[in-house]
Structure formats: C-alpha cells, structure tokens
Amino acid sequence: VQLVESGGGLVQAGGSLRLSCAASGSTFDDYAIGWFRQAPGKEREGVSCISSSDDSTFYADSVKGRFTISSDNARNTVYLQMNSLKPEDTAVYYCAAATRLRVGAALYYTEYDYWGQGTQVTVSS
C-alpha cells in the first residue's frame, strides 16, 4: 500500500488544520491507520490510530479532545482533524498502515509496516 499525506501548513495557535492520508494499492479494510509526528531532535510520537476492523480509535493524551481521526472507506482516505492547535504540535506528521496491531500498541511506530512521506505542520504562537 502507498500512502500520501496532505493538508499540512502554517497556522496560528488556536487554529485548525485537517490532514488527509490517501491510500493506493490496497484498501483500508486490510489495515489499521495511524498518525505519527516527529519534531526536530525528538522521537517519533504516536498521535492517533483508527482500526480497520471496528473503527475503534486511539489518541495520545497530548491530543485528546483536540484531534479527531476518521476514515472514508469509499475514498480510501483517513483524516486527522486538528483543532485548538498549540506551538508544541509543530512537527512533520506521517500516516502509516499496520497489517496487525498488538493489543495496547496502537501508537507504537514499530508496529507499522508502511509509511507516507510526511507533511509539515507549523503552529505559530
């Protein structure tokens, strides 16, 4: 499966962005899709995940209540709606696909098999 992210950009603190992750070569039915981010000098961090089997969702504590993950299977696209953005949300955001996730490991980047190229999100204060 090939993944392409879009929707990043520059936004002021308190603003919103919606990231998209479009898949080709396979359907989302076969995967769990996660969003990750990496800021300069920091480790890659799991942000959110949506399960293909039952649409269950997972969020990092740092984004709960502000970010929402959703999927449009007809378009083979997963979205990450980001509201109330903070400067600490600044990072390159990646989407990734996992064929199988261990219980409790939805936000572990090592669980994921396929990655997009990333999209930059910059939040100014």
Side-chain angles (χ1 to χ4, degrees):
V1 61
Q2 293 79 45
L3 304 172
V4 178
E5 304 94 336
S6 61
L10 173 64
V11 65
Q12 289 188 334
S16 298
L17 285 173
R18 188 177 78 159
L19 305 184
S20 299
C21 174
S24 61
S26 187
T27 67
F28 278 145
D29 289 348
D30 299 327
Y31 302 96
I33 303 297
W35 283 99
F36 294 80
R37 65 187 181 186
Q38 189 164 20
K42 294 188 177 181
E43 289 191 358
R44 192 163 295 192
E45 174 190 17
V47 174
S48 184
C49 169
I50 187 165
S51 168
S52 58
S53 60
D54 59 5
D55 282 343
S56 56
T57 57
F58 305 87
Y59 296 94
D61 289 343
S62 58
V63 306
K64 278 180 183 176
R66 300 189 298 122
F67 291 11
T68 303
I69 193 170
S70 62
S71 66
D72 183 339
N73 289 342
R75 290 184 168 84
N76 237 21
T77 300
V78 168
Y79 303 99
L80 185 68
Q81 178 66 44
M82 306 187 296
N83 298 329
S84 301
L85 283 162
K86 304 175 182 180
E88 51 263 45
D89 295 317
T90 295
V92 177
Y93 282 70
Y94 301 89
C95 69
T99 52
R100 181 175 296 179
L101 292 176
R102 292 176 296 163
V103 173
L107 299 182
Y108 291 7
Y109 70 87
T110 52
E111 297 287 305
Y112 289 76
D113 307 295
Y114 305 96
W115 292 83
Q117 83 290 348
T119 186
Q120 176 71 46
V121 171
T122 303
V123 184
S124 63
S125 57

